[in-house]
Amino acid sequence: ASGDLSAWTWHDGTPLDPAQRTADMVVPPLITDWVWPEGCLPFYRVKPLKKLYAKSFTSDGSPGIIYRDQLIELEVALRLAEGTAEATDGRLCRDGVHHYLLPAFFHTITTLAEQGRDFSVIIRTFGSDGPEVAEAINAWAEGKHPLTAKAPSPYEFSVAAERDIWRGRYEKN
């Protein structure tokens, strides 16, 4: 697979290369389905492109610049409510601006607990941030999340690093 942008198109057939796009070209809708359209593959599976653009996908000159508005919209949605940053436990907000874990995650757990449902939560991270995720969950369980003051008690739902966190390593076949 080539890293030459001119060799690639988006799933709608428009050029991947931002220099080849014209102002009248519609931005292809993001694919959110689990099944990719026939003949398509995810951008991140093209190693030369991933290597070049993984950390700058929506930057100027990068193919994903056409999705910059969606990135900004998502970034804004992850911000803490205005005026709550100072009062928010640092375990729930690592940068002082954004939620560390999605509020919907905590809402889901709260709802399951309120319904008396028996459930387990398994979290898969892609690095070494398991202890930080556990601390965020514990802060929420202690009632310190600005949006979900009503959480199961820490006794009912807490994460002990030494008891509940496993670090696995997966080998390539």
Side-chain angles (χ1 to χ4, degrees):
S2 167
D4 176 16
L5 290 178
S6 65
W8 297 93
T9 62
W10 291 107
H11 62 88
D12 68 346
T14 59
L16 192 68
D17 187 344
Q20 294 179 351
R21 294 188 64 82
T22 60
D24 63 331
M25 290 181 180
V26 176
V27 174
L30 292 169
I31 296 174
T32 58
D33 197 0
W34 290 104
V35 180
W36 293 91
E38 191 174 327
C40 293
L41 70 156
F43 188 91
Y44 61 85
R45 290 216 178 126
V46 181
K47 290 190 191 269
L49 297 179
K50 180 181 178 183
K51 186 174 183 175
L52 285 171
Y53 300 107
K55 295 186 180 187
S56 62
F57 186 67
T58 60
S59 300
D60 290 337
S62 188
I65 187 68
I66 62 175
Y67 296 110
R68 182 78 180 159
D69 290 344
Q70 285 92 336
L71 175 67
I72 292 168
E73 183 180 330
L74 292 171
E75 182 274 324
V76 168
L78 286 174
R79 291 181 191 170
L80 294 169
E82 196 168 321
T84 63
E86 294 79 24
T88 300
D89 189 298
R91 297 173 293 172
L92 293 162
C93 175
R94 297 286 175 187
D95 65 0
V97 178
H98 301 95
H99 293 279
Y100 184 61
L101 299 177
L102 296 175
F105 169 74
F106 297 121
H107 176 75
T108 300
I109 294 171
T110 301
T111 300
L112 290 169
E114 287 174 348
Q115 292 173 352
R117 305 263 305 261
D118 186 27
F119 64 96
S120 297
V121 176
I122 298 172
I123 297 172
R124 165 66 164 97
T125 69
F126 293 94
S128 58
D129 54 347
E132 289 83 7
V133 171
E135 286 301 317
I137 292 170
N138 289 339
W140 163 78
E142 294 164 13
K144 296 185 177 178
H145 196 285
L147 299 178
T148 56
K150 194 169 95 179
S153 76
Y155 178 75
E156 293 174 13
F157 202 94
S158 64
V159 182
E162 60 281 348
R163 177 192 73 205
D164 299 324
I165 296 179
W166 294 276
R167 183 176 291 178
R169 183 171 202 112
Y170 301 94
E171 302 295 329
K172 290 184 178 183
N173 293 336

